[in-house]
Amino acid sequence: KDLNLTIALACRDELKRHGVRVVMGRDKDVDRTSGEVISICNSCGAELAVDIHNNAGKGDGAEVYYYSGGGESLELANAVLAEIVKLGQNSRGVKTKLSDNGTDYYYFVRDTNCPAVIVECAFVDNREDMKIIDTKAEQQAMGKAIAKGILKMLGVAYKDESTEKASV
């Protein structure tokens, strides 16, 4: 949970640096149910929703789950995963998961009112996979990569920090 939060805060900071309004389900170490997070998302009028996690289960790589109806959720998933891969992380692809009744398995992508994705950055039980996010700087880079995918989806041009500082 600490790793997820560090990545999420870096993503938030990068989005805010680009003038994007960000509402988070949690910005400190608190427990919230999926229902509470979805309620926060739906009540704020979000254009997009991104849930940031890390995997376990002996796999490797990043994967992004999107709403099975596709559309902007699929576009967002592809944009985010493309940026994560640029960090050197393996891609497990963009995916959907359905329940036995044919609806989306994950509450977050199913019950949010806007295009939503779940980002799984790495497998915490894979030593090689963790090398992509085992330092604070790498966690911040992962958060920025996710933000770059979101910015692309929002049609906001990415501003490199070094270019931004040079023009001040």
Side-chain angles (χ1 to χ4, degrees):
K1 69 179 181 172
D2 295 333
L3 187 60
N4 300 344
L5 183 58
T6 300
I7 294 168
L9 292 173
C11 180
R12 176 203 63 191
D13 293 348
E14 192 67 8
L15 291 170
K16 283 186 168 187
R17 186 173 74 80
H18 285 81
V20 176
R21 181 176 156 260
V22 178
V23 176
M24 295 185 66
R26 72 180 185 110
D27 59 3
K28 57 186 176 230
D29 188 12
V30 296
D31 289 327
R32 292 226 163 90
T33 66
S34 294
E36 290 171 322
V37 172
I38 291 165
S39 178
I40 290 167
C41 180
N42 288 342
S43 66
C44 77
E47 289 181 53
L48 302 171
V50 178
D51 202 3
I52 297 172
H53 291 272
N54 284 282
N55 247 327
K58 307 292 186 232
D60 73 284
E63 58 193 3
V64 183
Y65 286 90
Y66 66 94
Y67 173 68
S68 63
E72 289 182 327
S73 180
L74 174 57
E75 286 181 55
L76 177 60
N78 281 316
V80 168
L81 188 59
E83 293 298 331
I84 291 172
V85 168
K86 289 178 184 176
L87 296 176
Q89 178 59 299
N90 296 328
S91 171
R92 295 174 58 87
V94 295
K95 303 175 177 185
T96 61
K97 184 174 180 179
L98 300 178
S99 298
D100 291 339
N101 66 5
T103 61
D104 282 283
Y105 176 81
Y106 294 111
Y107 295 113
F108 190 75
V109 297
R110 183 183 67 225
D111 293 343
T112 52
N113 294 336
C114 62
V117 298
I118 299 171
V119 181
E120 298 282 0
C121 302
F123 278 77
V124 296
D125 57 354
N126 178 319
R127 188 174 302 159
E128 287 302 309
D129 213 35
M130 278 300 294
K131 288 181 181 177
I132 199 83
I133 54 169
D134 63 351
T135 68
K136 179 113 174 156
E138 290 167 336
Q139 293 159 21
Q140 289 175 330
M142 181 64 72
K144 284 183 179 185
I146 295 167
K148 284 179 180 179
I150 295 167
L151 291 168
K152 181 177 182 180
M153 186 67 192
L154 293 173
V156 176
Y158 182 75
K159 297 179 283 188
D160 187 29
E161 288 176 277
S162 60
T163 305
E164 192 174 76
K165 289 176 184 174
S167 66
V168 173

